[in-house]
Structure formats: C-alpha cells, structure tokens
Amino acid sequence: MKKTIAMVLMLVMLLTSFIYASPNSRNMVTMLMDGRNTDFHVAGLKMFGEKIETDVPPVLHNSRTLLPVRFVAESMGAEVEWDQEQYAATITTEDKEILLMIDSPLAVVNGEIKPLPDEVAPKILTYKGSGRTMVPVRFVAEVLGLEVDWDNDTRTAIINYREISENEGVVENIRFTKGGVFPEIRIQTGKEVEFSTFRLSNPSRLVFDLENTKFDLKENPGIASNSTLNKHIGERGIVSLRASQFKTNPLTTRIVVELEEDKNHKTYYDEATGEMVISFINYVTSVTTETMNMREAIVIKGDYVKNYNMMKLQNPNRLVVDIKDSFLDYSGNIQNFIVDSNNIKGIRISEFQPDHHYKPEDKISRVVLDLYETYDINKMEYIVEEDLMIIFLEGKPLETLQYEETDWTTSTFRLTSNVVTNYDFRIVNSGRRLEISIPKSDIQLPLETIRIDDHIIDKITINEDNRRNEYIVEIQLKEGVEYKVISPGRGKEFLLELSNKDLKYREMLIVIDPGHGGSDPGAISPVKKIRESDLALDVSHRLNKLLVDAGFRTYMTRDKDTTVSLVDRAAVANQLEADLFVSVHANAFLSTSANGVETLYYPSENDPKDHRNNKRVAQIFQNQMVKTLGRRDRGIIPRDRVYVLRETEMPAVLTEIGFLTNPEEEALLATEAYKQLAAEAMFQAITTYFEEINNK
C-alpha cells in the first residue's frame, strides 16, 4: 500500500506542476457536458493544509465537487486506468480497487457495489478542447481513508488525514527483548487491540496486522523517510522487523518480522506495561520415524532443540530426551505412537513436570523411546542441529552405499570402496533389474533388502555369493526408468544415474494464486452472497489436486482464507522460480447483463525486456475456458497495471471464470459441477501449454 509520506511527497510535486485560478475564487467556468455548454461554479481544494491548484478547475455539480480522476488518484498515491470500451475508470491502491463508470450513480469498491452520494455520477467534461473524466472527490477520498470537509464561505473542499477515535489505538513504540525464557517483540499501544496474522516464505516472515491502530512512533531510531520502521535484530532466530501504516481505512499498522526459519509464537496484551506482546515460544513441533539411506531414525523437530538432556535408562530399556525451555506444539505431529520396528516398541511424548534435576519453573518437553530389551542401546548414534535432532537406532547411515534424489525426475546410486576394485555390472530382465558384483574384501555392506518405492526404484537387495566371495547388489527399477553408468568398471566408486522421463510434469512448478482472501473478500454476489475469495480458493484447491495427481509440482499463494499482499504473491512465485503463474478470479460489473469468461495478461510483447509469451498462454487458457464452460467468449485482455501479472518473471495469466453479478452465472458459480469444470478447463490449458512448448 502506498504509505502516507508517499502521498505527501506526491502532493508536494503536484503543487509545482498544476496551475489555475485562485481556489477560493467564486468565478464561473464553462465546460461541455452531455453535448451542451454548461456553466459551473469553480471550487477550491485544500489537501493536508496546502492549497492546491489544478490545470482543470474543481467544479460544483449538483452540490458535489468534481475533480479530474487522474489528479484525484495520483495525489492520493493511487493508480488510475481508463477503459475506453466500458467508459469506466479504475482507481487502484494495494488494498483498494474503485471502479467508476461514466454517468453511473453506482461504484464498485473491491467488488462490492456502492451508491455514489446524491447519485452524482462521474462525468466527461470538455475544457479548452480537452475531454476530462471528472469524479466526486468526497467519495474517492473517503474510500481511501481520508476525511473531507467543506468550507461553504470559500467553496473549498478540505482533505485531511482521519482523526483517531476513542475506539482506535496508537502504536507509539516497538522494542525487542530477551527477557524471560523466550524472545519477545513488544508494541506500545496503551490498550489491547485486535489483530490478524499470517506467514510468508522465502524468506520466512511473520506478518501482524494491528487493527484500528495508527502508526505514530514517538521515539524510535530506524524510522525511514517513508515513515517505515526498519530494525535489525539478528538474535535468537529473529533477523529483523519492519513496521508501517499499512492501511488508512480502516487504520491498520502492519508489523513484519523476518525469521531465519518459521518459529511459533503467541500474542497477548500485557496490562502492566500497556504493550501488545509477540512472544516467540520454543515449540517441539514433531517427532517422527524415518528411514535415512537405509537406516531407521527418530527425528525430533522444533524451533530450538540444541538445549537438551539425554538419558539411557534400564529396566525397562528406554532412551529419554528432554528438550529444555520448550513446549509441545499439539497442532503439529505430536502424539504417542506404536512403532513397527525391530528396535523400538513405541514413543511417548509429554510436557514433563520438573523433578530434582530441574528448577521448578523450567519448561521441559520429554520424548521417551521404549526400546526392546534385546536392543543394544550402545549402537545408537545421533546428530543435533539448532532445530533438528536425529537419533539413528542402527548407527549412522552407510557411507559405502548411497541413494539420493538429484532432481525431480533423476536420482543417483553410488557404491564407494576405500580401495580400487572391480564393479561387475549386469542387466537382467530387459533392464528392469540391475546387478552389481563387488569383492567382499573391498567393501562393507549389510545383507538386507531395502524398500525404496519412489518414482525410480522399487527396492535394493544385498546378497552374497560365498563361492565367489562377492556381494551382489540388485536394483529393481520402476516402469519407464532409464539408467546410465557414469563411472568406469574399475575404481574406488561406482555411479549410476537413473531417470524416469515418463514423469514429464514433475519438473514443472505451477503457482496457483486464489484471488483476494482474508480482509479482502473481493466481489460478493447479490443474491447468494458468494464471496469471490471463497470461490477462487475452492476452484484453486480443485485445480491443485488435478495438477498434483498428474505429477506437477504446485504452490498455492494461500490455501485458506488469509490476507496475502499482491507484492508477496508475485515475490513468492519469483523466488520459487515457477514455470507458470495462474491467478483465479471471478468477475463483477455494475450492469447485471455483463457475462462470460475472459483472461487477462501482461502485454510482454510490448516490453523489450520481457521475453515471456503471455499472450499465447492467455489465448490457450481462454480457448479452453470457453470450450469447457460454454460461456460467452470475452477474449483475452492485455493489462499492464495488474501487479501479479506485471511483476512475475514467468508466464502469467489471470482467469475470470464468470460474473458474480450476472444472475445466470451467479447460479452456475454456486454449483459444484461448474467449479469442477472451471478447474478442469484450467488444468487442460496448462497441459496444452506445456505440450506446446515441449514440442518446439
């Protein structure tokens, strides 16, 4: 969102570039309206205490002040786009979209239809030979969170920032502390305020929106010229924080905490200090069993697990791990469970009441491995990182045999000896099974069958031929797997490269962007009250399932009803280096007769620095949507100001699957069948696009 200071700076520049008569003049001016010359009273304009003069004068029309739409938008830090076909202007900020149609007494604000005051509609007025789109200043300013007053003596519209009400709070200070057990960010508000929160990735960020709060720090170093607080922390897994006035209507202060990795937290109000507190609690998030390179392992994950005690106990045979200064995150994979293993019977997890080994106030998460009496606990080994503990029950994984995935469709199999030796490679069963023989004196291998069951290998079996004193390693491949011997037959290492080219889509990453969400519901249908954000999320989940089932990799910019900024939607797609970006939306318009499907794209063909073929992708999507849904073809529409289409670095489209404001399509959009067809149409368009580029 454009920040307050940006708006002020814009106005300062405007003051030097716009000229006209004195704003408190009572002069009349003649303009052409609706084909006739019409006399208007000239109005004055004062913004944030400064008198403003424009090249086209503000005028009074039916007791409302009209201003040129482009001046209104740009002076308030917004962008404006004119639709010549619809005779409509769209004013856009990061959290608002206002659609104003010439001669219509209705406006659309973030998809919701609103009446204009006194039914004074936008007009095209011709002044000195130039036609200008004039819009009611009060309506636009108030939607953007500003206050508008009228001075009748001077006929001047006065625009100012909105005053803080008794129900609103003020953020006066933000500080980081390490007091107590957990690190905290403390926000001085003087009262408890409501808030919402969501996470972003790459890098990991935690976003807090403090509702009905004005960002007004009294004393705090780190305030930038754009009124944004930037504070480097660099401790306890917290990299930095940023804070600013994110919205003015309603007032919202946004705090973004960048983390080294995702951390759990709780937020509460401290009455003693008058602060909202974000406490970064150290949680143990999961305890699981895994197989790591053919070795059974217990994996304990948390925010910080390096502070621990480990005890090997007898009668009964068990291993106790205490993660200190932590709680259990019961929303994660935290539960007691039985283990189907030759080494361990089960795992018990609890928040331990401190005994004589600890202080009474200590917070302990205890993990108990119940071992079989026959298990030799001395062969257990473990490694500990900041957020991860791995306990290898059978010793660390083999160094002489390794199998690992190297790409989405390829893996490597490696045998390693300490000496130069012979590797006898054979092909069995028409290439479905590979065999390698190695002298037993040159390598150490266990005699076992290792079940892999991934997209490359079914299983690996290690046998021995005592007559020839050799190990025989058998690799059972999956259907469609190709192999290539990389190393020579004699040496210290034998290396196979394995690939499954039948999994052609596994290399492709599709970012699915369900439009709107959280505090932004998008358009709302008039009869069934369908929220565009809910509809887009539903269809996106259906599309995601179709893609995953076909082998694609996917990422959804949101998978529930949360707020995600346009900046972050594009940024995460770029950081993931996605192959395609698909934004899912539904349409709305002032006229209920508007209907059909359309596809928006950024006109990269007009940008020499943009080598994406967005237009072709959009045409593929539009063709498939029309064919599958059977709705009116509204065509593909170039839009150079749609942020998620312009700022993404991969081919990107925004598909409008129907009009929520059209009675027939509203009824269709409410059905499971239509939503599934929309997802299937997008899926077919995606596969068609990749088939086309792969065949070039």
Side-chain angles (χ1 to χ4, degrees):
M1 175 167 178
K2 303 293 189 297
K3 303 297 184 294
T4 298
I5 190 69
M7 298 166 68
V8 174
L9 290 174
M10 176 68 75
L11 289 171
V12 171
M13 292 186 288
L14 288 167
L15 289 173
T16 64
S17 59
F18 289 102
I19 58 170
Y20 192 69
S22 173
N24 61 4
S25 170
R26 292 179 178 269
N27 292 342
M28 304 290 290
V29 65
T30 301
M31 297 185 181
L32 187 67
M33 182 178 74
D34 299 333
R36 294 178 300 176
N37 284 325
T38 305
D39 292 332
F40 295 94
H41 283 288
V42 175
L45 178 64
K46 182 181 288 187
M47 298 185 72
F48 315 126
E50 299 284 346
K51 293 180 180 179
I52 303 299
E53 299 179 352
T54 63
D55 63 340
V56 175
V59 296
L60 297 179
H61 177 54
N62 292 341
S63 300
R64 293 289 170 180
T65 305
L66 301 184
L67 275 176
V69 64
R70 191 164 299 279
F71 171 80
V72 174
E74 293 179 352
S75 65
M76 296 180 187
E79 293 183 351
V80 64
E81 185 173 350
W82 173 252
D83 187 332
Q84 182 64 31
E85 181 180 346
Q86 299 290 342
Y87 256 44
T90 301
I91 299 172
T92 305
T93 67
E94 283 203 11
D95 69 319
K96 289 287 192 302
E97 183 180 84
I98 308 169
L99 175 66
L100 297 162
M101 196 169 178
I102 297 300
D103 294 330
S104 173
L106 300 175
V108 180
V109 179
N110 286 354
E112 183 179 352
I113 297 175
K114 293 181 177 291
L116 292 171
D118 297 332
E119 297 187 346
V120 175
K123 286 287 187 180
I124 292 182
L125 305 182
T126 301
Y127 177 71
K128 294 185 177 180
S130 298
R132 302 300 175 93
T133 301
M134 308 288 281
V135 297
V137 63
R138 178 180 293 274
F139 177 81
V140 175
E142 289 182 348
V143 167
L144 295 179
L146 302 171
E147 284 188 344
V148 181
D149 290 324
W150 175 254
D151 185 337
N152 196 51
D153 291 338
T154 60
R155 290 183 179 172
T156 300
I158 303 169
I159 300 175
N160 282 306
Y161 301 117
R162 188 163 59 83
E163 294 294 327
I164 300 297
S165 71
E166 292 182 359
N167 297 325
E168 294 171 327
V170 179
V171 174
E172 295 185 344
N173 189 32
I174 301 176
R175 60 194 180 98
F176 170 76
T177 71
K178 295 179 288 183
V181 177
F182 307 117
E184 295 175 339
I185 291 172
R186 290 182 159 263
I187 307 149
Q188 186 74 48
T189 56
K191 61 185 295 185
E192 186 172 7
V193 299
E194 294 184 357
F195 64 92
S196 60
T197 182
F198 59 94
R199 291 185 182 274
L200 298 171
S201 57
N202 298 318
S204 176
R205 285 157 292 165
L206 196 57
V207 181
F208 295 86
D209 284 342
L210 304 183
E211 300 172 8
N212 295 313
T213 58
K214 182 179 180 181
F215 183 68
D216 189 19
L217 300 191
K218 300 304 181 185
E219 293 183 9
N220 211 319
I223 293 287
S225 60
N226 62 355
S227 293
T228 298
L229 172 66
N230 291 283
K231 194 179 189 73
H232 176 74
I233 295 174
E235 295 184 58
R236 300 290 295 273
I238 302 173
V239 178
S240 63
L241 70 84
R242 302 190 307 276
S244 64
Q245 191 76 64
F246 179 63
K247 294 181 183 178
T248 56
N249 187 22
L251 284 171
T252 303
T253 297
R254 171 163 287 186
I255 298 172
V256 181
V257 184
E258 183 175 337
L259 307 169
E260 291 180 359
E261 55 195 351
D262 284 351
K263 293 176 72 69
N264 289 293
H265 71 282
K266 71 174 181 179
T267 305
Y268 63 94
Y269 179 65
D270 187 341
E271 292 187 2
T273 62
E275 294 171 309
M276 296 294 295
V277 181
I278 305 168
S279 180
F280 290 93
I281 300 173
N282 180 25
Y283 277 118
V284 174
T285 55
S286 70
V287 180
T288 58
T289 60
E290 296 184 22
T291 299
M292 296 186 173
N293 198 27
M294 300 160 289
R295 287 291 181 254
E296 183 180 13
I298 308 301
V299 180
I300 302 172
K301 293 182 179 179
D303 299 313
Y304 187 81
V305 301
K306 290 183 74 172
N307 189 10
Y308 68 93
N309 282 334
M310 184 176 291
M311 295 169 279
K312 301 176 182 179
L313 304 177
Q314 303 277 329
N315 301 318
N317 198 14
R318 62 199 188 279
L319 179 72
V320 176
V321 180
D322 286 345
I323 307 299
K324 298 190 288 185
D325 294 339
S326 72
F327 292 105
L328 293 176
D329 180 7
Y330 288 102
S331 66
N333 193 1
I334 296 293
Q335 59 183 344
N336 298 339
F337 57 94
I338 298 172
V339 181
D340 183 14
S341 164
N342 294 324
N343 304 304
I344 183 171
K345 294 183 287 187
I347 298 177
R348 292 179 286 129
I349 311 165
S350 66
E351 290 182 352
F352 179 64
Q353 187 69 32
D355 58 13
H356 62 281
H357 293 104
Y358 300 105
K359 298 176 182 178
E361 65 271 18
D362 284 347
K363 309 298 181 184
I364 308 295
S365 296
R366 172 162 286 189
V367 179
V368 180
L369 310 185
D370 290 319
L371 307 167
Y372 285 106
E373 295 301 324
T374 55
Y375 173 73
D376 182 4
I377 201 169
N378 292 316
K379 66 180 181 182
M380 181 270 295
E381 297 188 48
Y382 64 94
I383 59 173
V384 182
E385 299 176 2
E386 183 168 292
D387 61 347
L388 179 72
M389 176 182 290
I390 305 175
I391 302 170
F392 298 103
L393 296 174
E394 301 163 316
K396 289 185 179 179
L398 291 172
E399 297 180 358
T400 55
L401 190 156
Q402 292 180 324
Y403 172 70
E404 62 181 350
E405 186 179 90
T406 54
D407 204 346
W408 297 108
T409 59
T410 61
S411 298
T412 58
F413 173 87
R414 188 188 311 268
L415 290 167
T416 305
S417 171
N418 289 326
V419 297
V420 174
T421 188
N422 292 315
Y423 296 94
D424 183 14
F425 175 70
R426 299 182 296 278
I427 303 168
V428 183
N429 192 20
S430 301
R432 289 295 303 278
R433 189 170 84 240
L434 309 177
E435 292 184 356
I436 308 104
S437 297
I438 320 102
K440 292 175 67 175
S441 59
D442 295 338
I443 197 169
Q444 290 185 341
L445 292 172
L447 300 177
E448 58 181 309
T449 296
I450 306 158
R451 179 69 62 179
I452 305 295
D453 196 23
D454 64 1
H455 58 289
I456 300 287
I457 292 178
D458 180 26
K459 62 181 179 180
I460 299 172
T461 303
I462 305 172
N463 294 314
E464 61 181 348
D465 184 341
N466 289 323
R467 183 178 60 85
R468 302 185 61 178
N469 199 29
E470 291 179 334
Y471 288 114
I472 301 172
V473 180
E474 299 177 357
I475 306 171
Q476 190 70 41
L477 302 177
K478 291 290 184 70
E479 187 72 36
V481 173
E482 300 175 356
Y483 58 87
K484 182 179 181 181
V485 179
I486 303 300
S487 58
R490 181 172 174 79
K492 287 188 176 183
E493 182 180 82
F494 177 82
L495 180 62
L496 276 176
E497 186 177 272
L498 306 164
S499 62
N500 193 338
K501 297 304 182 184
D502 285 350
L503 303 175
K504 56 185 177 182
Y505 296 137
R506 201 165 187 266
E507 295 180 340
M508 306 300 177
L509 173 61
I510 316 300
V511 169
I512 306 169
D513 176 42
H516 306 283
S519 61
D520 175 17
I524 301 175
S525 70
V527 177
K528 296 181 179 293
K529 303 302 179 184
I530 302 169
R531 294 170 15 130
E532 182 185 359
S533 58
D534 296 336
L535 176 63
L537 184 61
D538 186 330
V539 174
S540 295
H541 274 300
R542 295 168 189 261
L543 174 59
N544 185 66
K545 184 178 187 307
L546 292 170
L547 290 169
V548 171
D549 288 348
F552 285 95
R553 294 181 294 126
T554 64
Y555 180 89
M556 293 179 64
T557 58
R558 65 180 181 95
D559 58 8
K560 52 189 175 184
D561 189 24
T562 54
T563 302
V564 183
S565 72
L566 300 178
V567 173
D568 289 322
R569 293 172 194 252
V572 71
N574 293 336
Q575 290 161 0
L576 292 172
E577 298 183 347
D579 297 284
L580 183 65
F581 181 92
V582 180
S583 192
V584 182
H585 286 255
N587 230 328
F589 200 65
L590 297 173
S591 171
T592 59
S593 63
N595 68 94
V597 294
E598 62 189 30
T599 304
L600 279 57
Y601 70 97
Y602 175 74
S604 49
E605 64 273 14
N606 299 331
D607 186 347
K609 296 181 180 179
D610 193 330
H611 303 293
R612 298 177 293 170
N613 192 0
N614 292 325
K615 186 174 183 179
R616 177 57 189 157
V617 181
Q619 193 62 65
I620 291 173
F621 266 77
Q622 184 66 12
N623 292 346
Q624 193 63 53
M625 296 294 286
V626 172
K627 176 182 176 182
T628 303
L629 296 176
R631 305 307 300 167
R632 176 190 170 203
D633 185 355
R634 296 176 61 87
I636 61 174
I637 301 173
R639 288 287 176 85
D640 58 5
R641 292 190 177 181
V642 177
Y643 189 92
V644 295
L645 300 180
R646 184 186 66 211
E647 298 302 323
T648 42
E649 297 170 358
M650 70 294 304
V653 293
L654 187 153
T655 177
E656 301 274 12
I657 65 176
F659 276 80
L660 287 166
T661 47
N662 177 270
E664 181 182 355
E665 291 189 352
E666 179 190 15
L668 285 172
L669 290 165
T671 66
E672 300 298 306
Y674 190 89
K675 289 184 282 190
Q676 186 63 30
L677 281 176
E680 290 174 1
M682 285 181 267
F683 170 74
Q684 290 298 329
I686 291 168
T687 56
T688 299
Y689 164 68
F690 283 113
E691 291 292 341
E692 183 175 293
I693 63 173
N694 287 336
N695 290 331
K696 285 186 177 180

